[in-house]
Amino acid sequence: MPVISAPAALPRSRHRWVAVAGLLMLSPISAEYLIGYSDSTNRPLELLAGLLILAPLYGTVAVLIREITRRTGRGWPTILLLSAAFGVIQAGLIDQTLFHHEINPDDPDWATQALVTLIPGLGVDAASLLNYVGGHVIWSFAAPIAVIESCAPRIADRRWLGRVGVGVMVALWALGAALIFSDTSADSTAGPAQLIGAAVVAIALIAAAFTVRPVRTQSQAKAPSWWLVGGVTGVAWCASQLLPATWVGVAVNVVAMVVLGWLLVRWSRRRGWGRRHVLAAAGSALVVRAGLSFLVEPLGGNVEGMVKYAVNAAMLGGVAVLLLMAAHRLRRQEPSAC
């Protein structure tokens, strides 16, 4: 595994720490709050307090994934594989939701559907696997990284942390993970074989992340409009969230993600592909997440409609402002980009 070090000087403190703080906050907000399922949706102060736990649990991982990738000169394949690894760690080892199949009858219909895609012998539901691990890859880590880097294009390829900063991120993550684990481990139904299996998968994904490298060859074909990239990815993100938790839904979801990945790889090798295209793909994920929150009934069923919709609208508005700011900064950085 490459050593986490880089000879290049750190960017100015104000610039990099604003970027770090932005990623620390956007990661948990994207992961947990944008979709609007929380039973504290009508209590903004409680949502803010929740970031004290969620930022160390999600945000530090996003920062570390980005930091490791940029320090070692790797690209999006490494980011995605590390995101998948930490998705397995989070859902399989820390909160262990991958192996939790009990249903609370007081929850809304979307949270009490019978599990019909259980994988025999593993005790893992295929639809939940896509939802939890895939959700971490897209909304907890990859999309927030892309958006925040777009907000800081001049330092997007550089390291943001020194050794002390990396140590602080690791310590905060360990603290957050320990708190969640201690809160959920007593009710866990995961067996030793399941936990060992999750650990092996996570290690394999980490190893793959440091083996794969982005392909440098470029096609002479012109990259599509970033509007087209955002539209295609937005449709795919909607499908991944709206497809039913059945074997047919899982199959269609997997095919859609494979096709989308193939398209993005081909497009990214074309002439003219740039950060605006990456922002379009990542930004559409945040917009879809926030937009679908209007259709989601929060857990507990005690959130008043107008309060819920006001919070949903505020989240969607915040996403729109953030993406507009990122696009403006990219336009100043890359004025000739399509």
Side-chain angles (χ1 to χ4, degrees):
M1 182 181 297
V3 178
I4 304 176
S5 60
L10 286 167
R12 292 181 180 179
S13 295
R14 179 174 63 88
H15 296 160
R16 60 191 177 93
W17 281 112
V18 168
V20 169
L23 188 49
L24 278 172
M25 293 297 104
L26 181 59
S27 174
I29 289 173
S30 174
E32 298 288 343
Y33 290 168
L34 284 188
I35 197 63
Y37 79 93
S38 174
D39 58 0
S40 57
T41 295
N42 63 334
R43 299 186 292 276
L45 291 180
E46 192 170 323
L47 291 176
L48 289 174
L51 291 177
L52 296 176
I53 299 295
L54 296 176
L57 188 63
Y58 294 112
T60 57
V61 174
V63 171
L64 289 170
I65 288 173
R66 197 217 75 89
E67 190 73 6
I68 291 170
T69 302
R70 298 313 178 202
R71 280 170 176 258
T72 56
R74 288 176 164 81
W76 280 102
T78 294
I79 288 176
L80 295 174
L81 286 167
L82 288 177
S83 297
F86 276 97
V88 172
I89 291 171
Q90 171 68 22
L93 299 176
I94 298 176
D95 62 36
Q96 300 176 22
T97 49
L98 271 181
F99 311 114
H100 184 79
H101 306 315
E102 294 182 4
I103 293 176
N104 183 353
D106 296 327
D107 285 340
D109 291 342
W110 62 265
T112 57
Q113 296 177 359
L115 301 178
V116 298
T117 59
L118 282 171
I119 303 174
L122 296 182
V124 176
D125 180 67
S128 298
L129 178 65
L130 285 177
N131 183 36
Y132 295 139
V133 178
H136 282 309
V137 172
I138 299 167
W139 287 286
S140 298
F141 307 130
I145 289 171
V147 170
I148 295 301
E149 284 192 341
S150 297
C151 290
R154 293 187 178 181
I155 61 172
D157 292 328
R158 300 174 62 183
R159 60 185 178 126
W160 292 348
L161 299 174
R163 292 183 179 179
V164 173
V166 170
V168 169
M169 292 296 124
V170 172
L172 286 174
W173 175 76
L175 178 60
L179 288 173
I180 296 298
F181 178 79
S182 64
D183 185 52
T184 60
S185 59
D187 299 325
S188 174
T189 59
Q194 291 173 314
L195 298 177
I196 292 172
V200 169
V201 170
I203 292 171
L205 288 168
I206 291 172
F210 292 103
T211 302
V212 66
R213 282 186 177 274
V215 178
R216 302 297 183 184
T217 58
Q218 190 177 55
S219 167
Q220 291 304 308
K222 186 178 180 181
S225 162
W226 58 273
W227 282 101
L228 176 61
V229 173
V232 170
T233 54
V235 171
W237 306 141
C238 274
S240 71
Q241 296 288 280
L242 296 176
L243 285 168
T246 62
W247 281 115
V248 172
V250 167
V252 174
N253 200 346
V254 170
V255 170
M257 290 299 105
V258 169
V259 171
L260 178 62
W262 176 78
L263 276 175
L264 291 176
V265 169
R266 283 183 60 86
W267 287 343
S268 67
R269 296 175 183 173
R270 292 185 176 185
R271 176 174 49 87
W273 178 272
R275 293 192 183 279
R276 291 196 204 182
H277 296 88
V278 176
L279 175 63
S284 66
L286 300 190
V287 170
V288 165
R289 187 85 158 172
L292 291 179
S293 67
F294 291 90
L295 306 178
V296 173
E297 180 184 353
L299 295 170
N302 59 351
V303 178
E304 296 180 4
M306 293 306 298
V307 175
K308 164 189 157 50
Y309 294 136
V311 173
N312 296 156
M315 291 285 183
L316 182 58
V319 166
V321 169
L322 182 63
L323 295 182
L324 287 172
M325 181 179 71
H328 173 68
R329 294 195 173 188
L330 286 178
R331 191 177 300 112
R332 290 197 306 175
Q333 182 73 9
E334 304 174 339
S336 62
C338 60

